Amino acid sequence: MTISALAFALLNVLVKQSGNFNVNQVVFFRSIGTLFFTIPYLIKNKINFLGNKKQLLIARGVVGCIAMTLFFMSLNHLSMGSAVSIRYISPIFAAFFAVFLLKEHIKYFQWFCFLLAFMGVVILKGFDSNIDTIGLVYALLSAVFTGLVYIIIRKIGNSDHPIVIVNYFMIISAIIGGVLSIKHWTNPQGLEWLLLLSLGIFGYFGQVYMTKALQTTEVNQVAPLKYIEVVFTMLIGAIWFKEIYTLISLLGIILIIVGLTLNIVLKTKLK
């Protein structure tokens, strides 16, 4: 999940820089770039493209596409920090859904840890004083659908190879994004091709390692680790965009790390 978080943090930066393209076109290139990895892998290893739990695989693809599109849309209305922070309510939704759909038990101390980590995210990046309402709605809806993605992947379990799951997601997203971007298509120029195709590279590694993590560990334990992406985004922002962070931002990092560490340590000790 840590590798996944770093890859997605880099993806966030590239998506933000692709703001002059229609969001569906960005989704299309994000998906096509990843398919350059998944399809050859499946062919080389002679893995069945169709998978076993086809209905869940399709559901994961559709729900994932909606979540991704909504998040990319939120980046057009909010600062990157605000959009990422709001989206990271998703592990809370995932834990909530897990109680009812997967019958997983969440202890009281875990809810406290989730709250502590969430407070850290809010402090770390916070919400813009003049936050755009439409952007806020997009980010919140993205968080809800992302939480559902965690649950669907957990339901698939080890029945299907992680690359099969990712391949379904990318094919469905490429089709939806491609069709919806036809009327608003803008031809990339020069390095813009590299920028757009790089979305798929970082997205591939982020998606594969997230899928592996969710297949092998309970949702309520591994999902909160996605908060680390916010930390990576902050560090990349400092190096790439020369952003300056205050003591309040450092306090946010500490709260996130403490919340996540407590959840893992206490859960392990109290089993």
Side-chain angles (χ1 to χ4, degrees):
M1 189 62 87
T2 303
I3 296 174
S4 170
L6 177 58
F8 280 128
L10 293 170
L11 173 63
N12 293 337
V13 175
L14 294 180
V15 170
K16 186 67 174 178
Q17 290 194 336
S18 304
N20 57 315
F21 292 96
N22 178 267
V23 66
N24 292 307
Q25 187 173 348
V26 175
V27 168
F28 172 77
F29 275 102
R30 153 75 174 92
S31 305
I32 289 295
T34 297
L35 288 174
F36 285 133
F37 290 91
T38 59
I39 293 178
Y41 182 93
L42 294 175
I43 293 175
K44 178 181 178 181
N45 293 278
K46 298 180 179 179
I47 299 174
N48 182 11
F49 275 70
L50 297 179
N52 298 308
K53 296 188 175 181
K54 299 178 181 60
Q55 291 184 335
L56 285 175
L57 288 168
I58 293 173
R60 188 269 177 271
V62 173
V63 173
C65 180
I66 294 173
M68 177 170 61
T69 302
L70 287 167
F71 176 63
F72 289 176
M73 291 171 69
S74 72
L75 287 173
N76 291 329
H77 296 272
L78 303 172
S79 66
M80 186 168 67
S82 296
V84 172
S85 297
I86 298 168
R87 186 185 64 170
Y88 274 89
I89 302 174
S90 59
I92 309 300
F93 286 118
F96 179 78
F97 292 143
V99 173
F100 298 98
L101 301 178
L102 301 181
K103 308 303 180 183
E104 292 182 1
H105 179 64
I106 300 178
K107 299 179 175 63
Y108 290 114
F109 74 82
Q110 287 184 275
W111 287 118
F112 170 75
C113 293
F114 293 165
L115 177 61
L116 195 63
F118 175 72
M119 287 174 59
V121 174
V122 174
I123 292 175
L124 179 62
K125 285 295 188 178
F127 299 91
D128 295 342
S129 58
N130 58 343
I131 191 168
D132 184 273
T133 302
I134 295 178
L136 173 62
V137 172
Y138 285 152
L140 286 174
L141 289 175
S142 176
V144 173
F145 282 100
T146 300
L148 287 174
V149 166
Y150 295 153
I151 301 302
I152 295 173
I153 292 177
R154 185 65 178 162
K155 291 284 286 185
I156 293 173
N158 293 313
S159 299
D160 285 295
H161 194 283
I163 303 300
V164 173
I165 300 174
V166 173
N167 198 57
Y168 261 86
F169 175 29
M170 292 296 96
I171 289 177
I172 290 174
S173 296
I175 293 173
I176 295 175
V179 171
L180 294 179
S181 65
I182 292 176
K183 291 184 178 181
H184 308 282
W185 185 269
T186 301
N187 287 325
Q189 302 295 324
L191 292 177
E192 289 179 341
W193 284 102
L194 178 61
L195 172 66
L196 291 173
L197 291 175
S198 294
L199 297 173
I201 296 175
F202 290 116
Y204 170 76
F205 287 105
Q207 204 64 52
V208 167
Y209 283 98
M210 184 191 77
T211 300
K212 287 184 177 182
L214 292 171
Q215 283 185 311
T216 56
T217 309
E218 287 185 7
V219 171
N220 58 53
Q221 183 176 3
V222 73
L225 287 173
K226 287 288 291 174
Y227 280 123
I228 297 176
E229 181 184 333
V230 183
V231 180
F232 288 146
T233 300
M234 180 180 179
L235 294 176
I236 294 172
I239 297 172
W240 196 322
F241 298 111
K242 307 301 181 182
E243 295 178 347
I244 299 176
Y245 299 99
T246 64
L247 290 176
I248 294 296
S249 298
L250 295 178
L251 174 61
I253 291 179
I254 293 174
L255 285 176
I256 292 171
I257 294 175
V258 169
L260 298 175
T261 303
L262 280 176
N263 177 58
I264 295 174
V265 173
L266 293 178
K267 184 176 175 63
T268 302
K269 286 185 177 181
L270 298 177
K271 274 188 175 180

